[in-house]
């Protein structure tokens, strides 16, 4: 009897912890064009900003999230090994884990919240392969040539055809005797009696080429640009000035209009050139189109990197090249007063160098809100130089730099250890946006980490505190302290109770390689150095065993799947089990799926059940263990139409054997068993009861309202009541052994979460998409009360309930966990 009671308690516990949110079935991937830009981070931060334009969710009105992949290898395939960021809600992501002068290839994919095997929340992920390359460097503006013609008069600054100025040489084509300075600060070519037809041969490629040193562009230089002011005096229709470029002394190449910005240009027919010039009709030339001298100078910019590519046929711009630039005048044979004037000629560039690496950002940043204050907590980086951490805030947006906002505090702590500060005297109901910046000790700040928090009057109402994680946290929290997983890829812990909400003593949040989206069970057993252990299934395809007292990882399993969506379950010898094993299902896109058993001691794989390699679809819900006969129950989708989706296996430490399976349609939720029956909801909106020993269907309750979310909540006291939610409805039914009776249903809760019932209180609590937690009458389904959480704009997830202090812990899509006294008044 005691063993059966233990089995029932553990079964209820594991089923409660295994809840996994599920949405309406849809397999259409988002519409998304992919990455649009990779740029250097602002404020001299060593890193790259990856940007994109928002995509379209084709399955619901819920916003998309984005997954960022990076590789140093061209043509890479996005996957778990190169996933850099998951669940990004912005349309940009900052990558500070870079090495200067290394080419990084980025791909961004959009993911919805429907069926699929996405990296973030098991949704449909688009398959675009658009990529861009970024290189993290420090760009230093450099002047390669600069002449304003104001250092002398006449021909003082000119020798032969080359002006030898600081930083390089510019080759001005013309006849020596016709060079003259117009005044003291303008270079002029052209005068009565001076003509030139150098263009005839130069642009044919057979004329004399420059020698010696031109404008030397250093290696690792980009954005090479020519700027100049000019004034032309040319006859309209056929006269003009053409700009040409020679790279490393090769033939001159006339430059197309596509690399030139500003200045008056037209296409010179050259019909009246003397002698006639062939082969270059249509070249862009500079000109004024009316006779006489123009009165104003025009400003022109030439993209020399693009010009170098035109000249060489390459793609490397002018990097490391020796440039010779030439203007040539095309004249007719009778008019000799053509001429042109130049001033303020500058060739500039950006020189690349290795990034000046700032310190690493803080490892975590959270905020706990209470009455008139926010407590900000973080962990100082353990890698790189560390001097202090500065917390800056604004009320309109996140600060972008250490000086962009009001400083809350500058805390000199210890590298690798937690720190905190309290921001008090705040206005309740106002959202405060915080950024944390680490100073390397010499005034150089690293990239930011952000969190927002909204203080409220915790002395009135039911909400006692809120804890902001910085990413979606819809998964129900675990009790004991309070544990939560979030799409920030972090495992969080909060002090329980009405005065809690901060990190427990000795705790630091734990980072994982991917987000977790199912409530982790907290086992009161020792694994490694832990006295209690959290088991976390992660989107990176691994299971983590985390010390629930300190947040340190005791072990990480091998990658057992593309994604682990479900909460693990366990059999423990400490509770009378025959073995110490951890169980979880796989969510693979292309390879076979399986129920995998891991050894509790070290996370190594003990065995996997894949139904002989066929007939086992993706497993999104958590399994349930039955101690008294070493059986394990789990649900899946169909591998092929008509395949089984509910499974019962028997197991030991070496393997598993199929006992029975049942084909009742796709299932993404978790099941519950009391040892006599198995209860499970399908994606078709049916709640099904099966015989736990044989798998025979006892009854089916059809809702016609979309998938059953999570799992059915049981209240088996006197009668067998089951509470569950579908797309728009919350349901209560009674198991009458061979059939089910509807007690009530209500559509009063918008997009209800998996409901939470109470064994003692006459209520059922449900989260919603309208930012409220609803309290329903357990007997009638009528709305007894509701409570807005935060500003009411974020979807509210399924609650967890601590019987010891009557506190409900509830996560939201805004990444905030709330502590709410239940029942609501």
């Amino acid at each position: 009897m005691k063993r059966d009671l233990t089995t029932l308690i553990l079964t209820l516990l594991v089923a409660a912890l295994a809840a996994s949110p599920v949405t309406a079935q849809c397999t259409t991937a988002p519409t998304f064009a992919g990455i649009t830009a990779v740029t250097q981070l602002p404020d001299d931060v060593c890193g790259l900003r990856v940007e994109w334009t928002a995509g379209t969710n084709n399955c619901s009105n819920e916003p998309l999230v984005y997954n960022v992949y990076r590789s140093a290898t061209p043509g890479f395939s996005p996957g778990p090994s190169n996933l850099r960021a998951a669940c990004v809600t912005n349309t940009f992501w900052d990558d500070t884990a870079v090495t200067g002068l290394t080419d990084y290839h980025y791909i961004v994919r959009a993911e919805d919240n429907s069926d699929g095997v996405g990296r973030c929340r098991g949704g449909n992920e688009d398959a675009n392969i658009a990529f861009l390359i970024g290189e993290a460097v420090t760009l230093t503006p450099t002047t390669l040539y600069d002449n304003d013609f104001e250092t002398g008069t006449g021909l003082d600054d000119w020798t032969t055809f080359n002006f030898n100025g600081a930083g390089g040489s510019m080759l001005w084509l013309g006849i020596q005797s016709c060079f003259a300075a117009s005044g003291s600060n303008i270079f002029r070519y052209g005068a009565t009696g001076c003509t030139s037809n150098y263009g005839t041969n130069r642009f044919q490629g057979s004329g004399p080429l420059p020698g010696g040193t031109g404008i030397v562009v250093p290696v690792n230089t980009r954005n090479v640009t020519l700027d100049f002011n000019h004034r032309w005096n040319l006859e309209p229709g056929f006269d003009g000035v053409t700009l040409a470029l020679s790279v490393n002394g090769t033939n001159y190449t006339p430059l197309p209009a596509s690399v030139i910005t500003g200045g008056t240009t037209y296409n010179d027919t050259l019909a009246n050139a003397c002698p006639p010039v062939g082969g270059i009709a249509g070249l862009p030339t500079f000109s004024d189109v009316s006779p006489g001298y123009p009165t104003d100078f025009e400003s022109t910019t030439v993209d020399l990197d693009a010009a170098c590519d035109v000249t060489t046929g390459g793609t490397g711009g002018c990097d490391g090249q020796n440039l010779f630039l030439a203007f040539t005048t095309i004249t007719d044979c009778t008019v000799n007063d053509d001429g042109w004037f130049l001033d303020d000629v500058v060739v500039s560039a950006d020189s690349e160098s290795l990034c000046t690496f700032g310190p690493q950002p803080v490892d975590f940043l959270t905020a706990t809100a209470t009455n008139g204050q926010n407590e900000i907590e973080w962990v100082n980086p353990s890698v790189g130089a560390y001097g202090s951490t500065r917390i800056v805030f604004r009320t309109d947006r996140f600060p972008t730099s250490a000086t962009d906002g009001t400083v809350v505090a500058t805390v000199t702590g210890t590298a690798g250890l937690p720190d905190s500060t309290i921001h008090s005297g705040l206005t309740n109901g106002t959202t405060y946006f915080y950024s944390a910046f680490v100073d390397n000790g010499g005034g150089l700040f690293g990239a930011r980490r952000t969190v927002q928090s909204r203080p409220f009057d915790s002395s009135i109402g039911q909400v006692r505190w809120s804890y902001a994680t910085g990413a979606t946290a819809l998964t129900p929290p675990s009790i004991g302290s309070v544990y939560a997983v979030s799409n920030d890829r972090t495992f969080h812990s909060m002090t329980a109770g009405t005065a809690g909400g901060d990190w427990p003593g000795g705790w630091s949040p734990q980072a994982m390689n991917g987000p977790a989206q199912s409530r982790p069970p907290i086992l009161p057993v020792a694994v490694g150095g832990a006295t209690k252990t959290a088991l976390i299934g992660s989107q990176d395809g691994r299971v983590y065993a985390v010390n629930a007292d300190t947040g340190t990882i005791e072990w990480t399993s091998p990658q057992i799947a593309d994604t682990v969506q479900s909460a693990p379950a366990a059999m423990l010898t400490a509770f009378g089990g025959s073995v110490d094993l951890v169980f979880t299902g796989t969510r693979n896109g292309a390879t076979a799926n399986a129920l995998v058993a891991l050894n509790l001691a070290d996370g190594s794989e003990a065995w996997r059940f894949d139904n002989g390699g066929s007939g086992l679809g993706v497993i999104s819900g958590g399994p349930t263990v039955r101690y008294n006969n070493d059986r394990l129950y789990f649900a899946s989708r169909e591998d092929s139409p008509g395949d089984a989706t509910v499974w019962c296996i028997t197991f030991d430490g070496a393997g598993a054997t199929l006992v029975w399976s049942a084909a009742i349609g796709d299932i993404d939720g978790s099941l519950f068993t009391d040892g006599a029956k198995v209860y499970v909801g399908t994606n078709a909106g049916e709640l099904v009861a099966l015989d736990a020993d044989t798998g025979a269907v006892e009854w089916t309750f059809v809702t016609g309202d979309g998938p059953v979310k999570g799992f059915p909540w049981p209240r088996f006291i006197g009668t067998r009541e089951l509470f569950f939610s579908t797309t728009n409805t919350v349901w209560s039914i009674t198991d009458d052994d061979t059939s089910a009776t509807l007690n009530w249903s209500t559509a009063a809760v918008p997009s209800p979460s998996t409901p939470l019932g109470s064994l003692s209180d006459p209520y059922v609590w449900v989260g919603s998409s309208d930012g409220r937690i609803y309290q329903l009458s357990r007997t009638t389904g009528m709305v007894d009360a509701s409570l807005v959480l935060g500003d009411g704009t974020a979807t509210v997830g399924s609650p967890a309930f601590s019987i010891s202090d009557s506190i409900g812990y509830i996560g939201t899509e805004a990444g905030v966990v709330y502590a709410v006294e239940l029942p609501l008044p």
Side-chain angles (χ1 to χ4, degrees):
M1 179 66 181
K2 182 178 180 181
R3 184 182 181 90
D4 289 341
L5 180 60
T6 300
T7 297
L8 177 59
I9 291 173
L10 287 175
T11 298
L12 286 168
L13 175 64
V14 173
L17 296 179
S20 174
V22 63
T23 57
Q25 185 172 4
C26 173
T27 58
T28 304
T31 301
F32 180 56
I35 189 171
T36 58
V38 180
T39 57
Q40 187 79 20
L41 282 180
D43 302 316
D44 295 325
V45 174
C46 188
L48 297 168
R49 174 162 292 176
V50 183
E51 299 177 83
W52 56 90
T53 301
T56 302
N57 190 334
N58 294 316
C59 290
S60 73
N61 292 325
E62 292 291 322
L64 296 171
V65 294
Y66 302 90
N67 304 321
V68 182
Y69 302 86
R70 187 192 82 180
S71 176
T73 303
F76 74 100
S77 297
S81 64
N82 46 54
L83 179 65
R84 292 292 304 146
C87 307
V88 179
T89 56
N90 294 318
T91 54
F92 68 91
W93 177 73
D94 293 342
D95 189 357
T96 56
V98 295
T99 300
L101 300 182
T102 297
D103 286 340
Y104 292 103
H105 303 250
Y106 292 93
I107 292 176
V108 179
R109 289 182 170 177
E111 183 181 342
D112 62 24
N113 61 332
S114 191
D115 296 334
V117 290
R119 305 300 173 192
C120 170
R121 52 192 179 189
N124 297 308
E125 185 182 68
D126 87 288
N128 84 83
I129 56 174
F131 74 92
L132 287 176
I133 302 173
E135 183 183 55
V137 296
T138 294
L139 298 179
T140 303
T142 303
T143 300
L144 304 178
Y145 179 90
D146 185 0
N147 191 7
D148 60 7
F149 305 106
E150 296 175 359
T151 58
T153 59
L155 301 178
D156 294 347
D157 299 319
W158 301 88
T159 59
T160 317
F161 294 123
N162 293 291
F163 170 71
N164 298 311
S169 299
M170 181 81 76
L171 181 63
W172 310 108
L173 294 187
I175 298 174
Q176 171 67 21
S177 62
C178 293
F179 284 145
S182 177
S184 61
N185 63 347
I186 299 172
F187 171 69
R188 174 187 178 187
Y189 165 70
T192 301
C194 296
T195 61
S196 173
N197 288 307
Y198 279 99
T200 302
N201 291 322
R202 283 287 188 202
F203 299 147
Q204 298 290 318
S206 60
L209 297 174
T213 301
I215 300 172
V216 178
V217 180
V219 176
N220 294 326
T221 300
R222 64 176 70 177
N223 304 327
V224 185
T225 303
L226 165 66
D227 293 283
F228 61 92
N229 293 323
H230 62 80
R231 191 172 78 188
W232 312 125
N233 176 43
L234 307 165
E235 294 183 10
F238 50 83
D239 291 334
V241 176
T242 300
L243 176 61
L245 173 68
S246 172
V247 178
N248 297 331
T250 58
N251 291 347
Y252 276 96
T253 300
L255 298 181
S258 61
V259 305
I260 302 170
T261 304
T264 304
T265 64
Y266 78 105
N267 289 330
D268 194 331
T269 64
L270 303 180
N272 297 315
C274 180
V277 177
I280 59 171
L283 286 176
T285 52
F286 301 94
S287 176
D288 64 64
V289 293
S290 60
Y293 290 98
T295 58
D296 297 323
F297 272 69
E298 292 183 308
S299 177
T300 297
T301 297
V302 180
D303 182 347
L304 286 182
D305 276 332
C308 283
D309 289 342
V310 169
T311 302
T312 64
T315 58
C318 300
D319 187 25
Q321 309 291 351
N322 186 20
L323 310 183
F324 298 87
L325 288 154
F327 290 97
T328 185
T329 302
I330 306 299
T331 72
D332 63 22
C333 299
T334 58
V335 180
N336 298 316
D337 61 354
D338 297 340
W340 44 269
F341 303 84
L342 289 178
D343 197 5
D344 300 324
V345 181
V346 178
V347 179
S348 59
D350 290 328
S351 297
E352 301 176 353
S353 59
L354 286 173
C355 286
T356 302
F357 284 92
Q360 292 296 307
V362 296
D363 289 339
F364 308 97
L365 186 67
T366 65
T368 301
T370 51
N371 189 12
Q373 72 173 37
N374 292 319
E375 181 177 7
I376 317 301
E377 297 183 278
W378 65 91
V379 176
N380 296 315
S382 58
V383 177
Y386 171 77
S388 62
T389 300
R390 178 180 294 182
I391 307 297
V392 186
F393 86 93
R394 297 177 65 107
T395 56
D396 56 343
R397 57 172 173 80
F398 291 114
T400 59
S401 72
T403 57
D404 178 33
T406 302
V407 176
V408 176
T410 298
V411 180
T412 301
T414 302
L417 294 183
D419 259 321
S420 66
T421 189
I422 293 178
H423 189 197
S424 58
L426 307 183
T427 302
N428 288 330
T430 296
T431 300
Y432 292 81
F433 298 87
Y434 298 94
S435 295
F437 299 91
V438 174
D439 185 339
N440 69 349
L444 179 63
F445 289 94
R448 67 179 179 175
R449 195 177 290 275
T450 62
V451 71
Q452 66 186 64
S453 191
R454 183 176 180 267
F456 58 93
D457 191 345
S458 55
S459 66
I460 60 176
Q462 299 297 108
V463 181
R464 293 294 164 256
W465 50 261
S466 67
Y467 175 93
T469 70
T472 301
L474 285 172
T475 301
S478 299
I479 308 299
S481 306
V482 180
Y483 299 94
V485 289
S486 170
N487 279 343
D488 61 359
R489 302 192 294 178
T490 302
F491 180 46
H492 297 267
S493 180
M494 295 139 267
T495 304
T498 58
D502 55 353
W503 296 354
W507 170 270
S508 292
Q510 179 57 57
M512 298 172 291
N513 291 324
Q517 295 184 324
S518 55
R519 182 184 346 200
I522 310 299
L523 307 179
V525 295
V527 173
T531 59
K532 57 183 179 180
T533 304
L535 297 175
I536 306 171
S538 172
Q539 298 285 306
D540 66 1
R542 297 172 174 85
V543 174
Y544 294 80
V546 178
N547 186 320
D549 295 318
T550 64
T552 56
I553 292 178
E554 298 296 339
W555 54 252
T556 301
S557 77
Q559 185 176 353
I560 60 175
D562 290 347
T563 294
V564 174
Q565 182 74 14
S566 65
M571 173 172 273
L572 308 173
T573 57
F575 285 87
S578 60
V579 291
D580 283 317
L581 290 177
V582 176
F583 307 100
T584 194
T586 67
R587 192 178 173 100
N588 295 322
T591 58
N593 285 281
L595 193 289
V596 180
L598 306 172
N599 291 304
L600 178 65
D602 59 9
S604 60
E605 185 172 322
W607 50 260
R608 63 175 54 206
F609 172 81
D610 62 0
N611 195 34
S614 63
L616 194 61
V618 297
I619 303 169
S620 298
T624 298
V625 180
R626 189 174 176 185
Y627 271 56
N628 62 346
N629 57 4
D630 293 339
R631 288 189 176 184
L632 186 143
Y633 302 86
F634 65 96
S636 71
R637 291 189 196 169
E638 297 174 338
D639 187 56
S640 298
D643 281 349
T645 55
V646 183
W647 308 84
C648 173
I649 60 177
T650 185
F651 63 88
D652 57 23
T657 303
L658 178 67
V659 177
W660 56 258
S661 63
I664 64 171
D666 284 342
I667 300 168
D668 280 335
S670 301
L671 50 77
F672 160 75
T673 180
D674 65 348
K677 290 184 180 179
V678 174
Y679 302 92
V680 67
T682 71
N683 291 2
E686 301 171 336
L687 190 67
V688 182
L690 305 94
D691 185 284
D693 291 325
T694 67
V697 175
E698 299 287 344
W699 50 258
T700 299
F701 182 85
V702 179
T703 70
D705 186 51
V708 175
K709 299 179 180 181
F711 71 102
W713 183 272
R715 186 178 187 275
F716 289 1
I717 300 176
T719 59
R720 291 172 169 257
E721 296 175 77
L722 295 159
F723 304 90
F724 62 97
S725 293
T726 52
T727 302
N728 301 299
T729 310
V730 183
W731 307 80
S732 170
I733 65 173
T734 296
D735 178 5
D736 295 325
D737 194 22
T738 59
S739 63
T741 299
L742 174 65
N743 300 321
W744 52 261
S745 65
T746 178
V749 181
S751 301
S753 72
T754 301
L756 170 70
S758 171
L759 298 179
S760 57
D761 294 304
Y763 305 113
V764 174
W765 296 289
V766 187
S768 70
S769 62
D770 67 352
R772 292 175 176 265
I773 179 73
Y774 283 82
Q775 181 171 281
L776 308 179
S777 167
R778 194 183 67 236
T779 55
T780 68
M782 298 290 291
V783 175
D784 179 79
S786 69
L787 178 67
V788 175
L789 297 181
D791 62 5
T793 61
T795 296
V796 176
S798 182
F801 184 61
S802 172
I803 298 174
S804 63
D805 52 15
S806 296
I807 297 289
Y809 299 99
I810 309 158
T812 72
E813 193 173 42
V816 181
V817 176
Y818 293 88
V820 181
E821 286 192 1
L822 296 176
L824 301 177

